[in-house]
């Protein structure tokens, strides 16, 4: 057997022992003890096992976005305009032309007329435009 399994069982048993009122109700406290064990920060990793499982599942679904200069993109509308149409308002603005791509997900955009936008935009707020 693996020694880590015995250590985990010992820790769960300690948690249940601190939560029990009498010895007959240990099975009622088991789900709470397991939740406490899974959400407790480990000193070896500095994280909880639950957060590590969630991070692994999230990273499986992440698709990296690759943009290159002269690509056409749409920019997400991040502000609420005074002419808001509620749920029928536009979600994306554009199209724009990618002028320059920086490290760590920043991109400079140009209008279709060639006017440069003053601030760089994060990649998370862009999606490719296919005319």
């Amino acid at each position: 057997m693996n020694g880590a399994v015995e250590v985990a069982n010992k820790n769960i048993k300690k948690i249940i022992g601190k939560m029990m009122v009498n010895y007959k109700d240990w099975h009622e406290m088991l789900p709470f003890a397991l939740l406490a064990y899974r959400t407790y920060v480990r000193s070896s990793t500095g994280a909880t096992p639950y957060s590590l499982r969630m991070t692994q599942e999230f990273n499986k679904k992440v698709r990296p976005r690759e943009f290159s200069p002269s690509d056409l993109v749409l920019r997400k509308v991040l502000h609420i305009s005074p002419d808001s149409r509620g749920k029928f308002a536009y979600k994306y603005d554009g199209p724009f032309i990618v002028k320059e791509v920086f490290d760590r997900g920043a991109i400079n955009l140009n209008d279709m007329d060639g006017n440069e936008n003053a601030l760089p935009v994060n990649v998370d707020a862009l999606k490719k435009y296919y005319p």
Side-chain angles (χ1 to χ4, degrees):
M1 255 351 259
N2 190 351
V5 173
E6 282 128 18
V7 171
N9 288 340
K10 178 181 73 171
N11 290 334
I12 293 170
K13 186 177 175 182
K14 281 183 186 178
I15 293 170
I16 290 175
K18 292 177 183 179
M19 295 172 65
M20 282 189 344
V21 176
N22 62 28
Y23 68 94
K24 293 182 181 180
D25 64 350
W26 70 268
H27 63 282
E28 295 173 1
M29 296 297 168
L30 183 60
F32 302 111
L34 289 173
L35 178 67
Y37 182 74
R38 291 175 184 150
T39 57
Y40 184 76
V41 177
R42 303 288 187 276
S43 60
S44 60
T45 59
T48 66
Y50 180 76
S51 66
L52 294 175
R53 286 193 321 274
M54 291 299 294
T55 302
Q56 183 179 10
E57 290 301 314
F58 176 78
N59 289 338
K60 284 181 185 177
K61 296 178 183 178
V62 171
R63 292 180 293 153
R65 298 181 186 182
E66 298 291 331
F67 295 103
S68 59
S70 75
D71 281 349
L72 293 177
V73 295
L74 295 174
R75 180 179 61 190
K76 187 180 282 189
V77 176
L78 298 175
H79 59 83
I80 298 173
S81 64
D83 183 30
S84 179
R85 297 181 182 119
K87 68 179 182 179
F88 299 111
Y90 294 112
K91 306 291 188 249
Y92 287 91
D93 192 21
F96 295 96
I97 301 171
V98 174
K99 179 185 175 194
E100 189 176 0
V101 179
F102 298 109
D103 291 345
R104 304 207 182 244
I107 292 181
N108 274 344
L109 299 175
N110 285 348
D111 290 352
M112 293 300 284
D113 299 332
N115 302 330
E116 183 177 340
N117 289 351
L119 297 174
V121 179
N122 196 340
V123 175
D124 293 342
L126 298 176
K127 71 177 183 179
K128 285 198 176 187
Y129 175 69
Y130 302 99

